[in-house]
Amino acid sequence: MYKGNMLTSSIKKDEIKRDWYLFDAEDKTLGRLASEIAQVIRGKKKPFYTPNLDMGDFVVVINADKIYLSGDKKNQKKYFKHSGYPGSEKEILLSTVQDKQPEKILYNAVKGMLPHNKLGRKLIKHLKVYAGTVHPHESQQPKPYNL
């Protein structure tokens, strides 16, 4: 057993630096884009990553309505919801969601890739998804993210 003076350094809350990144979802595959966004939001791309801290960056996604879905996911994938009352379950096709709220598809995909606890609920607030090219985050000067 080693009894040297090596200490594991842990990053402090005030040492965390957050950036804003701009992702363009046009013609990008849903799962591959969502996993990349989840890693940026989580902070895994940073050299001082700590799993139990919120140290990720903010992500703005534009053109969510032009995302690419491989296979026949539009007609086969279903979103399921249930209020808890008997007979209240509902299944909604992905094509219906894409017509009405295209930003929900990417939002749900990224949310499923984040931790399912308090930290995940805090991290999902770092994601801003928009169907078109216009977004209200110009003042944060988001940097374009290259995939």
Side-chain angles (χ1 to χ4, degrees), residues 15-147:
E15 295 173 351
I16 297 171
K17 183 182 175 289
R18 291 195 173 85
D19 294 323
W20 283 74
Y21 289 106
L22 181 70
F23 282 77
D24 189 0
E26 188 171 1
D27 298 328
K28 301 284 191 301
T29 307
L30 174 63
R32 292 175 188 271
L33 178 66
S35 65
E36 191 72 27
I37 291 170
Q39 286 184 18
V40 171
I41 289 175
R42 191 86 199 272
K44 286 192 165 190
K45 300 283 185 177
K46 295 187 176 186
F48 46 83
Y49 168 69
T50 309
N52 63 327
L53 289 179
D54 169 18
M55 57 190 328
D57 299 319
F58 288 87
V59 172
V60 178
V61 183
I62 56 172
N63 292 325
D65 54 344
K66 297 175 184 153
I67 200 157
Y68 173 71
L69 299 165
S70 60
D72 197 25
K73 286 190 183 75
K74 278 188 176 185
N75 302 318
Q76 290 178 347
K77 185 170 173 61
K78 296 176 183 174
Y79 289 105
F80 179 82
K81 70 179 186 181
H82 193 282
S83 71
Y85 288 100
S88 69
E89 63 264 353
K90 291 183 181 178
E91 284 185 349
I92 303 167
L93 280 173
L94 184 107
S95 59
T96 310
V97 176
Q98 194 172 27
D99 292 340
K100 294 181 180 178
Q101 296 174 309
E103 57 275 350
K104 276 284 201 196
I105 296 170
L106 188 61
Y107 179 86
N108 286 335
V110 173
K111 186 177 180 184
M113 294 179 185
L114 293 175
H116 303 290
N117 54 21
K118 280 184 186 179
L119 180 62
R121 289 188 290 276
K122 186 176 180 184
L123 289 173
I124 195 64
K125 293 176 185 172
H126 292 210
L127 176 65
K128 318 291 182 193
V129 185
Y130 300 99
T133 56
V134 180
H135 63 87
H137 304 288
E138 288 297 329
S139 59
Q140 281 79 18
Q141 299 168 346
K143 302 175 208 161
Y145 194 90
N146 297 324
L147 293 173

